Amino acid sequence: MKALKIWMILMGVFYLLNLVALWPSLWAPQLPTMYPGVELHQGTDSFQLLLDAWLIVGIQLAAIGMVLIWAGGFSATPERYLGVVWVAIVTEIVDGIWDIYSVAGGLEEPVIGYATVVIHLIWIFTALWALGRARKELEGEAATGTVAA
């Protein structure tokens, strides 16, 4: 369970850091670099709406992150929170699809888009690896009737 607990904490922290990065005052200057071919209408209500939408994404990621940190760092029974790991996996899949779509449509800077796809894939594959390790530990406990600390 140790690998899964570490993954939960790291992913949780990463998601909390996403909230910081997506904070409007920090995120607004990054958008023109990320979407160089898009007229963003900076300084307008439309641009503020875009920033607010990204902030909601950050808040949602932070909410998932807080549950992951709780499960991995503070819960005596992290195996009860395996569902939130799957939520994070699906979130990473959807975000990766969005990045591919944005690059393919000529909207997102390809280097940024593909770099984030790599990050999504790393989180997905490490989550699956950690879940596999946890499953083996749980199966071993069930077979022997012991509980790992």
Side-chain angles (χ1 to χ4, degrees):
M1 201 62 55
K2 184 177 180 181
L4 186 62
K5 289 171 76 170
I6 291 170
W7 186 90
M8 289 172 155
I9 293 167
L10 291 175
M11 185 60 153
V13 169
F14 178 73
Y15 275 180
L16 288 175
L17 290 174
N18 268 266
L19 172 59
V20 173
L22 293 172
W23 203 260
S25 59
L26 298 174
W27 189 232
Q30 306 306 316
L31 285 172
T33 302
M34 190 168 183
Y35 300 107
V38 177
E39 176 56 53
L40 295 172
H41 304 285
Q42 290 173 286
T44 67
D45 290 342
S46 296
F47 188 68
Q48 186 60 51
L49 180 64
L50 177 63
L51 291 174
D52 292 346
W54 274 106
L55 179 60
I56 293 301
V57 170
I59 291 169
Q60 290 172 336
L61 290 174
I64 297 168
M66 288 171 28
V67 175
L68 285 165
I69 290 169
W70 165 256
F74 300 102
S75 173
T77 54
E79 64 274 8
R80 292 182 60 204
Y81 296 90
L82 295 179
V84 76
V85 176
W86 286 104
V87 169
I89 290 169
V90 171
T91 299
E92 291 303 305
I93 291 169
V94 170
D95 290 352
I97 291 169
W98 168 253
D99 286 317
I100 292 168
Y101 167 82
S102 295
V103 170
L107 303 173
E108 187 172 357
E109 170 60 38
V111 171
I112 295 171
Y114 293 134
T116 56
V117 168
V118 169
I119 292 167
H120 297 309
L121 290 171
I122 289 169
W123 283 120
I124 292 165
F125 288 120
T126 57
L128 294 172
W129 173 81
L131 283 170
R133 296 271 311 256
R135 189 194 63 190
K136 287 179 184 176
E137 288 179 35
L138 291 171
E139 288 172 354
E141 292 171 9
T144 62
T146 61
V147 177

